[in-house]
Each structure stands twice: as structure tokens, then as C-alpha cells.
Amino acid sequence: MDNSPVTSFPETPLAQAMIQRCIQLARQALGRTTPNPLVGCVIVRNGEIVGEGFHPAAGQPHAEVFALSEAGENAQGATVYVNLEPCNHYGRTPPCTEALIKAGVAKVVVGMVDPDPRVSGKGIERLRAAGIEVVVGVEESACRQLNEGFIHRILYQRPLGILKYAMTLDGKIAATSGHSKWITGEKSRSWVHQLRSACDAVIVGGNTVRQDNPNLTSHNPNAPNPLRVIMSRTLDLPRDARVWQTDDVPTLVFTEVGTEGDLYQHLVNQGVEVVVLNPLTPSRVMAYLYDRQLSRVLWECGGILAANAIADGAVQKILAFIAPKIIGGHGGPSPVGDLGLTLMTDALTLERVSWRQLGSDYVVEGYIPNRE
Ligand SMILES: Nc1nc(O)c(N)c(N[C@@H]2O[C@H](COP(=O)(O)O)[C@@H](O)[C@H]2O)n1
Ligand SMILES: [Zn+2]
């Protein structure tokens, strides 16, 4: 716990700094909380942090409960900072509002209102009704960014779909031979490994398994791994692929064919889960993964499946890695296949676009406008 005094901060920067600290705490559980949000909580009394906590996983106590338990008697008259409105319902755990009231806190600073209809303003109301001062909306956009998967899941009853691809400066995701190792540099690739550990599933198509034989893991024994999902209509897949090694990381294959195929039994014997969906579409896969409680799904597929996923509304966010390389060639694969658009005026224009440099690569992030 950081016990450094924070008295030198004036009120608003103090609140911002404390909510940022909540976000930092919450991020310790990245990739582990679905379907629950990432939440951190800090309790400050007389300018000193007396308790901190974060929500480690669904079914575990909420962040506020850990912070209150660390603060003990010091919670009396203290200010509580939390990046998400305290809950006011009996779910897997009892309401945090009641725990805060019982502890005698004087003030609660909330990053954002909880979109979960079981809470959604009722937590704030309950605290105010108990005479606790409540401030809402501190560092709100950072709080929303942190929990964008959770928010999307609650609002649309689907996981947030993130399409990630890496391309050369001339827009190719491989050479004409199919060779693609590597387009981006080490920094970008390790950033992608971290991104995987913050996602609940990663999806590729059969082509990617056949051509790249990827691991689709976080490559870090201390970080969580996403569920590996393969979409293959025909189950025309190699018998030996890295993703069939399921001792440490599970793999789920969606297909249209059933038990009649030769490979089906082989996969089942390897511990791979095989689900038949007829027809097999990106949106049906996302609906299935929603029912499996997932919030963030990373599409790391080739251009054909990427275009299908975009057209089917299964992708909301784009992460495009651009390497300063030129491969050229006729008909080399590009990151997004045919979307049926013939006029530049019909192009999908991303919103909330930002970029950063990773080594000698650039990563551009943006959101597809809501088409609902
Ligand atoms: N404020 C707050 N802190 C946490 O640590 C949380 N996990 C939540 N989650 C909210 O409560 C719902 C889950 O409740 P159970 O864990 O099932 O009891 C979740 O949907 C959020 O609304 N909130
Ligand atoms: Zn709670």
C-alpha cells in the first residue's frame, strides 16, 4: 500500500489523482473479472490513504470491501474514491452501499455511474439518502475507457469486438507467398501479447491456423490467457496445431459440420471444445460468447473473416499496427476483405481516433460508428 501523504493536492486534482490510482489498482485484475467490471477503490482520511483494494474476479468481494477491510476503523469520516458507482444490489455479493454506510464514511467520489440496470444510479441515491456526500464523474472518460468491454456488454448484450491487424506501409498483412513473420517489431508484438491477456477470447479463422500455426496466448506465465476461438466451417484443419495443446489454455472451435468429420474426434480427444452453429456467422459466435459471460473479444483473423465480422456488426474497435515496410506484389492479402463498398464516400470513417508509436511501428486505434 502507498502510504505517502497526499495533503499537498488541492481538492479536484486530489480526486483526479485518487481515481487514477483506482484505475491503476483495478488494472491488476485485467482479463480476470468478466463478466464483472474492473474496479479499484482508495480510502483517504486526513489526507492519507488508509485503505486500498480492487475487484479480483467475479464471485469475489468488490473493490470497496477490500478497501474498507484494509481501512478498518479509519474508514469512519473518510472519503472513498472508486472508479465505478458502488453497487446497491444482492448479486454474487452483498451491496457495497450498505458496507460503506455501516463503516461511517463521510464522502464517496465516483468515477462513473454503473450502466448495470441493477445499479444505475441507485447506489448513488442510497448513499445520499444515508447522508453521505457523493461526487460523480471524476476522470469519467478514463473510467469509461477502462471498462469499455463491460459497458458494451451491458448496453448491447454482446462482448466488445476488437479487430487487431498488422500491415505494411503498402497495406499488406503478408507477402504474396503468405509469409508474414514478422511485419511489426518486437515492441508491437509484446504489446499484442499484453492486449491478449486483457481480452477474454481471441478469434481466428481456419486459414490463420493453417498458415501461421499461432499460439494465441499472452506469452507470460503470470498473465491470464484468453479463450482461443477458431471459426472453421469445414473443420479442414491440421491435426497438429499449437492451439490444440489445451493443457494450459482452452480452445473452442466453432464449425458448421458435426461429428461425422475425421478431425472432430481428434479435437475432442485433445480437450478442444467443438460447437456446431448452423449457420456459422460472426454475430452468432459473439452471441454465444456473450452467453459464456465474455466482455472483450479480440479478432486476430485474416481479411476475409475480418470483413465478415465488420459487416456482421461483430467489431466495434480497430487496432491497426502499421510497420514502416513495403512488400508490394499483386493480390497480396490486405487486412479487411470485401465489404461491398464501391464509393470512397461509403468508407467506414472511424471515430475517437488516436495513435501511438511502438518501436518503429505505429498503432492506430479507432471505433466504428454505431450502425444501430
Ligand atoms: N462498484 C463496484 N465495485 C466492484 O468491485 C464491482 N465488482 C462492481 N460490480 C457491479 O456489480 C455487478 C456484479 O455484482 P456481483 O459481483 O455479481 O455481486 C456488476 O455488474 C457491476 O454492476 N461494482
Ligand atoms: Zn459492490
Side-chain angles (χ1 to χ4, degrees):
M1 187 179 79
D2 179 6
N3 271 323
S4 50
V6 285
T7 36
S8 56
F9 286 110
E11 174 69 9
T12 303
L14 167 66
Q16 289 172 325
M18 290 302 102
I19 294 291
Q20 285 294 347
R21 174 69 184 149
C22 292
I23 291 172
Q24 195 181 31
L25 290 165
R27 287 177 63 85
Q28 291 182 63
L30 264 175
R32 301 183 202 270
T33 61
T34 195
N36 276 3
L38 290 157
V39 186
C41 180
V42 178
I43 303 182
V44 175
R45 184 164 134 162
N46 298 330
E48 282 199 20
I49 293 174
V50 292
E52 289 187 332
F54 66 92
H55 180 53
Q60 298 282 315
H62 288 182
E64 297 91 320
V65 171
F66 284 104
L68 282 172
S69 128
E70 193 168 281
E73 303 271 286
N74 285 325
Q76 178 84 37
T79 298
V80 175
Y81 298 87
V82 59
N83 58 285
L84 187 71
E85 173 183 6
C87 69
N88 189 44
H89 67 287
Y90 285 87
R92 296 176 189 86
T93 61
C96 291
T97 47
E98 299 309 321
L100 292 164
I101 294 164
K102 195 167 164 216
V105 308
K107 181 172 173 179
V108 178
V109 178
V110 172
M112 62 172 280
V113 173
D114 187 344
D116 186 329
R118 294 173 299 173
V119 187
S120 196
K122 297 191 245 335
I124 292 163
E125 259 173 46
R126 174 72 188 110
L127 294 172
R128 284 187 175 144
I132 295 172
E133 182 188 349
V134 184
V135 175
V136 184
V138 175
E139 294 289 285
E140 184 169 350
S141 72
C143 295
R144 290 190 165 278
Q145 178 73 32
L146 175 74
N147 273 313
E148 62 178 1
F150 169 74
I151 296 169
H152 186 87
R153 177 185 164 77
I154 295 274
L155 294 185
Y156 300 100
Q157 287 83 53
R158 288 290 179 277
L160 179 78
I162 304 164
L163 171 63
K164 170 255 142 189
Y165 55 81
M167 65 178 194
T168 59
L169 216 46
D170 54 330
K172 311 285 190 209
I173 58 169
T176 46
S177 64
H179 189 251
S180 63
K181 287 193 175 101
W182 299 103
I183 295 170
T184 50
E186 237 170 70
K187 261 200 175 162
S188 297
R189 299 203 308 274
S190 103
W191 198 86
V192 169
H193 296 157
Q194 287 173 45
L195 171 68
R196 283 183 192 154
S197 71
C199 289
D200 306 312
V202 53
I203 302 186
V204 297
N207 250 342
T208 302
V209 176
R210 284 186 291 269
Q211 293 208 335
D212 298 349
N213 193 16
N215 282 299
L216 302 178
T217 60
S218 64
H219 293 259
N220 176 353
N222 301 316
N225 284 296
L227 172 69
R228 300 178 298 189
V229 176
I230 319 299
M231 279 178 73
S232 169
R233 283 216 165 88
T234 56
L235 280 191
D236 172 22
L237 297 165
R239 286 179 75 82
D240 294 314
R242 293 194 175 111
V243 283
W244 307 152
Q245 283 149 28
T246 57
D247 291 345
D248 300 322
V249 187
T251 299
L252 166 59
V253 171
F254 287 103
T255 184
E256 272 181 359
V257 300
T259 50
E260 67 274 14
D262 181 36
L263 197 78
Y264 177 91
Q265 201 50 49
H266 175 68
L267 295 183
V268 172
N269 292 345
Q270 298 270 319
V272 174
E273 189 180 352
V274 184
V275 170
V276 178
L277 287 181
N278 265 315
L280 177 59
T281 63
S283 67
R284 293 193 72 195
V285 166
M286 290 300 258
Y288 188 95
L289 296 178
Y290 170 79
D291 290 340
R292 287 272 286 249
Q293 311 279 292
L294 308 195
S295 304
R296 282 166 65 90
V297 169
L298 186 62
W299 292 83
E300 280 202 62
C301 50
I304 297 172
L305 184 52
N308 286 340
I310 290 173
D312 216 11
V315 171
Q316 286 72 44
K317 179 176 179 176
I318 306 287
L319 281 172
F321 287 75
I322 304 165
K325 294 181 182 173
I326 294 177
I327 186 74
H330 288 297
S334 67
V336 180
D338 190 11
L339 286 171
L341 306 177
T342 51
L343 299 174
M344 196 47 77
T345 43
D346 291 338
L348 297 173
T349 306
L350 300 193
E351 297 170 342
R352 291 180 279 147
V353 176
S354 60
W355 57 271
R356 80 178 74 182
Q357 191 168 0
L358 287 169
S360 55
D361 306 320
Y362 282 85
V363 53
V364 178
E365 171 181 312
Y367 294 81
I368 295 177
N370 192 340
R371 288 160 288 170
E372 280 189 15

